[in-house]
Amino acid sequence: MDTCIQKIRELAADLLERGEVEKVIGFAQGTIPMATSPISVGTKQGVDNLVFNSTCGLNLANFASRQKGKIAIIAKGCDCRNIVTHIVENQLQRDQVYIIGVPCNGMVNKFKIAALFEDEITGFAEDGDTLTVSSSSQTKTLKKQEYLRENCLLCTHKNPVLYDVLAGDLVKEQVLENAFPDVDKIEAMDVDGRWQYFKRLTQNCIRCYACRNACPICYCPTCFVDEAGPQWVGKGQNKTDVDTFHFLRAFHCAGRCTDCGACVEACPMGINVRDFTRKLNKDALELFGWEAGLDISKRPPLDAYSPQDPDDFIK
Amino acid sequence: MGNLLEHMGVERDRVHFSWISSAEATKFVDVVKEISEKVRALGPNKKFVKDYN
């Protein structure tokens, strides 16, 4: 078995046995191939359910706050950055969470793999950089690197930034020449081209809010889309309402989004929700030199005032 | 916010931001004139408009 999974189980069992934490939050194998689901393990016997592989695309930081007692959490680089964001935003105290850091080599794009098969995928296994995916009619061997999610391809924080213990060896961080090629591509279009691009992007949105629910920084007790008095945005499939939801949700994530890709992972319609937040991440970096979730001692740019803040937008 | 709107295809001159004190009547007039001219030049807005029909 994978040494990383073995290590996660050992650490979890030890923590639970010593009573250091009340529960361990991690990933369990899902009910279908290529799927994992979050799990909360409270007993030593339960740790055998914990897994970690290239399909653990959701962000467990979502479950870190609002817990009773101390918890342990299995955290990839992006999960760690979101735990840092939770601590910075006072949703969580550092001593309430024990972070089992997992250096991550990226998660796979399930839509891309599913598109290779005409029938349903019935088996998924990985060994290092090789994926073996099978359906009832064929078996394919794939290189993991070619099927990574877009945000993982552009990830420069694969290693956990804050942890109590590591469940694997640190991996080499990549250095990108251009961290935002996707944003640049949209920016190169003219104004109507961009409008059409986003129109096509959201045309299949069914307003299920899976992106919001999967997002670790969307933790408002009542989301603006659920509010009834006042009703900020219409609840139907009207295009303007759909766009307003995406635009405002993205803006609520400004300077906070870690580009973990959980929104895209959760979307049943395959919408690249990141196209909205990526622009804000680029702005945060260019205007404020800020990347979210790297340091628990720094305040986020929209939370702090500096006379150097750019103000050329205001008359 | 202006940047993201522009990124989504809403014209830069459509949305304006300003900070005007209640004592700055002339600045208010100047800003409103400028906004009116820029928005008039763009013509009617078709984006982010809800069609109730």
Side-chain angles (χ1 to χ4, degrees):
Chain A
M1 195 193 351
D2 195 325
T3 50
C4 176
I5 299 179
Q6 195 65 44
K7 182 91 179 153
I8 288 172
R9 289 179 185 174
E10 278 169 22
L11 288 166
D14 181 52
L15 285 168
L16 289 167
E17 195 169 41
R18 284 193 286 123
E20 168 129 14
V21 300
E22 298 201 3
K23 54 190 166 190
V24 178
I25 294 173
F27 288 102
Q29 193 59 49
T31 49
I32 54 170
M34 265 206 315
T36 51
S37 61
I39 187 177
S40 166
V41 176
T43 61
K44 203 185 151 199
Q45 290 73 33
V47 299
D48 286 341
N49 290 323
L50 293 170
V51 297
F52 191 82
N53 55 37
S54 301
T55 62
C56 299
L58 289 174
N59 193 323
L60 293 180
N62 216 354
F63 309 101
S65 51
R66 298 181 299 279
Q67 299 280 359
K68 282 186 187 140
K70 186 167 178 171
I71 55 150
I73 192 159
I74 317 291
K76 315 182 282 288
C78 43
D79 301 34
C80 265
R81 289 176 64 193
N82 280 110
I83 294 171
V84 169
T85 305
H86 275 216
I87 294 170
V88 166
E89 295 176 356
N90 288 323
Q91 296 301 309
L92 180 70
Q93 300 298 314
R94 177 66 186 93
D95 56 9
Q96 285 177 315
V97 60
Y98 186 97
I99 305 171
I100 303 175
V102 185
C104 165
N105 271 319
M107 295 293 147
V108 294
N109 183 336
K110 293 163 191 172
F111 274 97
K112 202 171 167 184
I113 294 179
L116 298 173
F117 293 85
E118 280 176 9
D119 45 356
E120 202 178 325
I121 290 171
T122 52
F124 176 88
E126 65 175 297
D127 181 19
D129 289 333
T130 314
L131 310 172
T132 312
V133 191
S134 54
S135 73
S136 55
S137 63
Q138 55 180 329
T139 298
K140 286 187 191 224
T141 308
L142 310 169
K143 274 194 188 142
K144 175 176 162 181
Q145 193 61 31
E146 290 169 13
Y147 291 90
L148 286 182
R149 300 189 302 183
E150 264 180 67
N151 63 312
C152 297
L153 283 170
L154 296 169
C155 174
T156 53
H157 299 282
K158 298 175 176 186
N159 292 312
V161 290
L162 178 74
Y163 53 84
D164 293 291
V165 65
L166 279 178
D169 298 328
L170 291 176
V171 295
K172 192 168 176 280
E173 297 284 8
Q174 58 180 347
V175 180
L176 297 171
E177 221 165 84
N178 178 7
F180 297 97
D182 49 339
V183 184
D184 292 346
K185 208 175 93 191
I186 300 173
E187 280 177 348
M189 299 176 194
D190 66 1
V191 68
D192 287 319
R194 292 199 296 270
W195 182 255
Q196 291 303 324
Y197 179 87
F198 281 98
K199 192 175 169 182
R200 278 196 299 275
L201 183 72
T202 56
Q203 67 184 1
N204 288 335
C205 177
I206 54 171
R207 297 283 292 273
C208 67
Y209 302 138
C211 48
R212 175 199 68 185
N213 292 354
C215 179
I217 54 175
C218 273
Y219 55 67
C220 291
T222 306
C223 178
F224 73 99
V225 290
D226 296 327
E227 192 88 63
Q231 186 179 316
W232 305 107
V233 56
K235 294 172 190 293
Q237 287 298 113
N238 180 287
K239 157 132 185 71
T240 301
D241 290 332
V242 173
D243 283 352
T244 304
F245 158 61
H246 284 287
F247 173 77
L248 278 179
R249 194 194 81 84
F251 201 70
H252 288 174
C253 302
R256 305 166 66 223
C257 173
T258 60
D259 202 25
C260 69
C263 47
V264 180
E265 184 81 19
C267 181
M269 306 306 285
I271 298 170
N272 190 25
V273 192
R274 290 171 52 249
D275 274 338
F276 293 93
T277 49
R278 288 281 289 168
K279 168 64 180 166
L280 293 162
N281 289 4
K282 186 183 177 194
D283 280 356
L285 187 64
E286 287 180 353
L287 301 174
F288 301 98
W290 173 263
E291 281 183 282
L294 297 183
D295 190 340
I296 53 170
S297 64
K298 286 195 182 132
R299 299 305 304 169
L302 294 189
D303 184 63
Y305 169 73
S306 153
Q308 276 80 46
D309 284 346
D311 59 358
D312 56 347
F313 66 95
I314 201 159
K315 279 192 259 297
Chain B
M1 191 161 200
N3 285 359
L4 184 60
L5 277 170
E6 193 184 8
H7 190 63
M8 284 180 69
V10 175
E11 302 88 342
R12 168 57 30 135
D13 283 346
R14 188 74 70 185
V15 187
H16 296 256
F17 301 86
S18 188
W19 180 267
I20 308 170
S21 152
S22 58
E24 296 177 307
T26 48
K27 183 178 174 188
F28 179 77
V29 173
D30 291 344
V31 169
V32 170
K33 271 185 184 162
E34 191 193 330
I35 294 174
S36 310
E37 279 165 22
K38 287 190 167 164
V39 173
R40 192 170 291 122
L42 285 171
N45 182 33
K46 300 265 195 290
K47 295 159 182 171
F48 269 115
V49 178
K50 195 163 176 179
D51 181 8
Y52 286 94
N53 300 316

mmCIF file of all heavy atoms in Angstrom, chain A residues 19 43 46 54 57 86 98 102 106 130 152-153 161 171 173 208 226 232 236 249 262-263 280 289 293 300:
data_model
loop_
_atom_site.group_PDB
_atom_site.id
_atom_site.type_symbol
_atom_site.label_atom_id
_atom_site.label_comp_id
_atom_site.label_asym_id
_atom_site.label_seq_id
_atom_site.Cartn_x
_atom_site.Cartn_y
_atom_site.Cartn_z
ATOM 1 N N GLY A 19 -5.787 10.513 22.653
ATOM 2 C CA GLY A 19 -6.826 11.471 23.032
ATOM 3 C C GLY A 19 -6.431 12.906 22.737
ATOM 4 O O GLY A 19 -7.039 13.841 23.231
ATOM 5 N N THR A 43 -12.838 7.024 15.980
ATOM 6 C CA THR A 43 -12.305 5.883 16.732
ATOM 7 C C THR A 43 -11.097 5.308 16.023
ATOM 8 O O THR A 43 -10.935 5.473 14.817
ATOM 9 C CB THR A 43 -13.349 4.749 16.832
ATOM 10 O OG1 THR A 43 -13.664 4.324 15.497
ATOM 11 C CG2 THR A 43 -14.605 5.208 17.531
ATOM 12 N N GLY A 46 -11.677 3.163 13.020
ATOM 13 C CA GLY A 46 -12.141 3.810 11.799
ATOM 14 C C GLY A 46 -11.034 4.290 10.874
ATOM 15 O O GLY A 46 -11.291 4.643 9.720
ATOM 16 N N SER A 54 -4.955 10.662 -5.966
ATOM 17 C CA SER A 54 -5.081 11.813 -6.880
ATOM 18 C C SER A 54 -6.519 12.233 -7.142
ATOM 19 O O SER A 54 -6.776 13.023 -8.032
ATOM 20 C CB SER A 54 -4.446 11.479 -8.225
ATOM 21 O OG SER A 54 -3.121 11.162 -8.044
ATOM 22 N N GLY A 57 -9.822 15.765 -4.547
ATOM 23 C CA GLY A 57 -9.802 17.142 -5.031
ATOM 24 C C GLY A 57 -10.557 18.139 -4.180
ATOM 25 O O GLY A 57 -10.421 19.339 -4.366
ATOM 26 N N HIS A 86 -8.618 30.547 7.475
ATOM 27 C CA HIS A 86 -9.606 30.434 8.553
ATOM 28 C C HIS A 86 -9.052 31.002 9.852
ATOM 29 O O HIS A 86 -9.777 31.667 10.601
ATOM 30 C CB HIS A 86 -10.008 28.967 8.754
ATOM 31 C CG HIS A 86 -11.094 28.518 7.836
ATOM 32 N ND1 HIS A 86 -12.078 27.634 8.206
ATOM 33 C CD2 HIS A 86 -11.357 28.841 6.553
ATOM 34 C CE1 HIS A 86 -12.908 27.447 7.195
ATOM 35 N NE2 HIS A 86 -12.473 28.153 6.174
ATOM 36 N N TYR A 98 -5.021 20.141 14.602
ATOM 37 C CA TYR A 98 -3.746 19.464 14.443
ATOM 38 C C TYR A 98 -3.641 19.132 12.954
ATOM 39 O O TYR A 98 -4.477 18.411 12.409
ATOM 40 C CB TYR A 98 -3.727 18.187 15.296
ATOM 41 C CG TYR A 98 -2.394 17.471 15.320
ATOM 42 C CD1 TYR A 98 -1.500 17.675 16.382
ATOM 43 C CD2 TYR A 98 -2.037 16.592 14.312
ATOM 44 C CE1 TYR A 98 -0.276 17.019 16.419
ATOM 45 C CE2 TYR A 98 -0.819 15.945 14.335
ATOM 46 C CZ TYR A 98 0.058 16.154 15.391
ATOM 47 O OH TYR A 98 1.265 15.508 15.420
ATOM 48 N N VAL A 102 0.127 16.918 3.944
ATOM 49 C CA VAL A 102 0.451 15.955 2.888
ATOM 50 C C VAL A 102 0.984 16.713 1.670
ATOM 51 O O VAL A 102 0.224 17.411 1.011
ATOM 52 C CB VAL A 102 -0.790 15.137 2.461
ATOM 53 C CG1 VAL A 102 -0.392 14.066 1.461
ATOM 54 C CG2 VAL A 102 -1.469 14.516 3.661
ATOM 55 N N GLY A 106 -0.592 17.034 -7.074
ATOM 56 C CA GLY A 106 -1.688 17.414 -7.957
ATOM 57 C C GLY A 106 -2.801 16.390 -7.982
ATOM 58 O O GLY A 106 -2.600 15.214 -7.690
ATOM 59 N N THR A 130 1.687 6.952 -12.772
ATOM 60 C CA THR A 130 0.912 6.199 -13.760
ATOM 61 C C THR A 130 -0.496 5.911 -13.235
ATOM 62 O O THR A 130 -0.670 5.457 -12.109
ATOM 63 C CB THR A 130 1.605 4.859 -14.062
ATOM 64 O OG1 THR A 130 2.985 5.112 -14.249
ATOM 65 C CG2 THR A 130 1.030 4.215 -15.296
ATOM 66 N N CYS A 152 -3.928 22.633 -10.503
ATOM 67 C CA CYS A 152 -2.777 21.872 -10.011
ATOM 68 C C CYS A 152 -1.567 22.079 -10.925
ATOM 69 O O CYS A 152 -0.432 22.132 -10.468
ATOM 70 C CB CYS A 152 -3.111 20.395 -9.909
ATOM 71 S SG CYS A 152 -4.434 20.079 -8.721
ATOM 72 N N LEU A 153 -1.832 22.219 -12.238
ATOM 73 C CA LEU A 153 -0.729 22.473 -13.177
ATOM 74 C C LEU A 153 -0.070 23.816 -12.875
ATOM 75 O O LEU A 153 1.121 24.002 -13.105
ATOM 76 C CB LEU A 153 -1.256 22.483 -14.622
ATOM 77 C CG LEU A 153 -1.555 21.117 -15.234
ATOM 78 C CD1 LEU A 153 -2.279 21.283 -16.553
ATOM 79 C CD2 LEU A 153 -0.281 20.317 -15.428
ATOM 80 N N VAL A 161 1.887 24.737 4.026
ATOM 81 C CA VAL A 161 2.605 25.903 4.540
ATOM 82 C C VAL A 161 2.620 25.929 6.061
ATOM 83 O O VAL A 161 3.429 26.616 6.668
ATOM 84 C CB VAL A 161 1.984 27.219 4.014
ATOM 85 C CG1 VAL A 161 2.250 27.390 2.543
ATOM 86 C CG2 VAL A 161 0.492 27.274 4.290
ATOM 87 N N VAL A 171 7.765 17.861 -1.583
ATOM 88 C CA VAL A 171 7.997 17.757 -3.024
ATOM 89 C C VAL A 171 8.573 19.072 -3.536
ATOM 90 O O VAL A 171 8.484 20.102 -2.873
ATOM 91 C CB VAL A 171 6.696 17.409 -3.795
ATOM 92 C CG1 VAL A 171 6.213 16.030 -3.419
ATOM 93 C CG2 VAL A 171 5.616 18.442 -3.538
ATOM 94 N N GLU A 173 8.767 22.405 -5.449
ATOM 95 C CA GLU A 173 7.792 23.375 -5.932
ATOM 96 C C GLU A 173 8.189 23.820 -7.333
ATOM 97 O O GLU A 173 9.371 24.001 -7.617
ATOM 98 C CB GLU A 173 7.769 24.611 -5.019
ATOM 99 C CG GLU A 173 7.339 24.328 -3.599
ATOM 100 C CD GLU A 173 5.836 24.106 -3.446
ATOM 101 O OE1 GLU A 173 5.143 24.025 -4.469
ATOM 102 O OE2 GLU A 173 5.391 23.987 -2.292
ATOM 103 N N CYS A 208 -26.975 25.078 -8.467
ATOM 104 C CA CYS A 208 -27.040 24.077 -7.398
ATOM 105 C C CYS A 208 -26.223 24.520 -6.207
ATOM 106 O O CYS A 208 -26.358 23.972 -5.121
ATOM 107 C CB CYS A 208 -26.551 22.719 -7.897
ATOM 108 S SG CYS A 208 -24.784 22.656 -8.300
ATOM 109 N N ASP A 226 -29.181 33.182 -0.597
ATOM 110 C CA ASP A 226 -30.270 32.545 0.152
ATOM 111 C C ASP A 226 -31.092 33.550 0.950
ATOM 112 O O ASP A 226 -32.153 33.219 1.469
ATOM 113 C CB ASP A 226 -29.701 31.495 1.124
ATOM 114 C CG ASP A 226 -29.012 30.364 0.376
ATOM 115 O OD1 ASP A 226 -29.466 30.047 -0.736
ATOM 116 O OD2 ASP A 226 -28.041 29.810 0.899
ATOM 117 N N TRP A 232 -31.251 39.847 -2.524
ATOM 118 C CA TRP A 232 -30.219 40.531 -3.299
ATOM 119 C C TRP A 232 -30.227 40.112 -4.759
ATOM 120 O O TRP A 232 -29.844 40.879 -5.642
ATOM 121 C CB TRP A 232 -28.837 40.241 -2.720
ATOM 122 C CG TRP A 232 -28.693 40.577 -1.275
ATOM 123 C CD1 TRP A 232 -28.620 39.689 -0.235
ATOM 124 C CD2 TRP A 232 -28.611 41.874 -0.684
ATOM 125 N NE1 TRP A 232 -28.502 40.356 0.955
ATOM 126 C CE2 TRP A 232 -28.487 41.692 0.707
ATOM 127 C CE3 TRP A 232 -28.632 43.164 -1.197
ATOM 128 C CZ2 TRP A 232 -28.387 42.764 1.590
ATOM 129 C CZ3 TRP A 232 -28.526 44.229 -0.317
ATOM 130 C CH2 TRP A 232 -28.411 44.027 1.064
ATOM 131 N N GLY A 236 -33.946 32.294 -9.794
ATOM 132 C CA GLY A 236 -34.221 31.419 -10.930
ATOM 133 C C GLY A 236 -33.042 31.239 -11.866
ATOM 134 O O GLY A 236 -31.898 31.490 -11.507
ATOM 135 N N ARG A 249 -20.109 36.059 -5.827
ATOM 136 C CA ARG A 249 -19.410 35.024 -5.055
ATOM 137 C C ARG A 249 -17.911 35.162 -5.268
ATOM 138 O O ARG A 249 -17.124 35.104 -4.335
ATOM 139 C CB ARG A 249 -19.861 33.622 -5.446
ATOM 140 C CG ARG A 249 -19.426 32.557 -4.435
ATOM 141 C CD ARG A 249 -19.565 31.149 -4.971
ATOM 142 N NE ARG A 249 -18.441 30.775 -5.812
ATOM 143 C CZ ARG A 249 -17.292 30.294 -5.352
ATOM 144 N NH1 ARG A 249 -17.106 30.116 -4.070
ATOM 145 N NH2 ARG A 249 -16.310 29.996 -6.180
ATOM 146 N N ALA A 262 -11.666 23.459 -5.564
ATOM 147 C CA ALA A 262 -12.787 22.688 -5.031
ATOM 148 C C ALA A 262 -14.095 23.053 -5.737
ATOM 149 O O ALA A 262 -14.955 22.193 -5.943
ATOM 150 C CB ALA A 262 -12.930 22.913 -3.523
ATOM 151 N N CYS A 263 -14.226 24.324 -6.141
ATOM 152 C CA CYS A 263 -15.446 24.765 -6.830
ATOM 153 C C CYS A 263 -15.613 24.029 -8.156
ATOM 154 O O CYS A 263 -16.691 23.553 -8.492
ATOM 155 C CB CYS A 263 -15.422 26.280 -7.044
ATOM 156 S SG CYS A 263 -13.871 26.934 -7.703
ATOM 157 N N LEU A 280 -9.162 37.764 -9.859
ATOM 158 C CA LEU A 280 -8.975 38.448 -8.569
ATOM 159 C C LEU A 280 -7.658 38.033 -7.915
ATOM 160 O O LEU A 280 -7.000 38.830 -7.261
ATOM 161 C CB LEU A 280 -10.155 38.138 -7.650
ATOM 162 C CG LEU A 280 -11.476 38.743 -8.136
ATOM 163 C CD1 LEU A 280 -12.655 38.078 -7.470
ATOM 164 C CD2 LEU A 280 -11.496 40.230 -7.882
ATOM 165 N N GLY A 289 0.730 42.440 -4.012
ATOM 166 C CA GLY A 289 1.789 41.460 -3.740
ATOM 167 C C GLY A 289 1.313 40.365 -2.797
ATOM 168 O O GLY A 289 2.058 39.870 -1.967
ATOM 169 N N GLY A 293 -3.352 32.918 2.324
ATOM 170 C CA GLY A 293 -3.109 31.720 3.126
ATOM 171 C C GLY A 293 -1.673 31.280 3.280
ATOM 172 O O GLY A 293 -1.406 30.095 3.419
ATOM 173 N N PRO A 300 -5.099 40.163 5.448
ATOM 174 C CA PRO A 300 -5.354 40.193 3.999
ATOM 175 C C PRO A 300 -5.500 41.630 3.477
ATOM 176 O O PRO A 300 -5.869 42.520 4.247
ATOM 177 C CB PRO A 300 -6.656 39.415 3.841
ATOM 178 C CG PRO A 300 -7.216 39.250 5.199
ATOM 179 C CD PRO A 300 -6.166 39.519 6.211
#
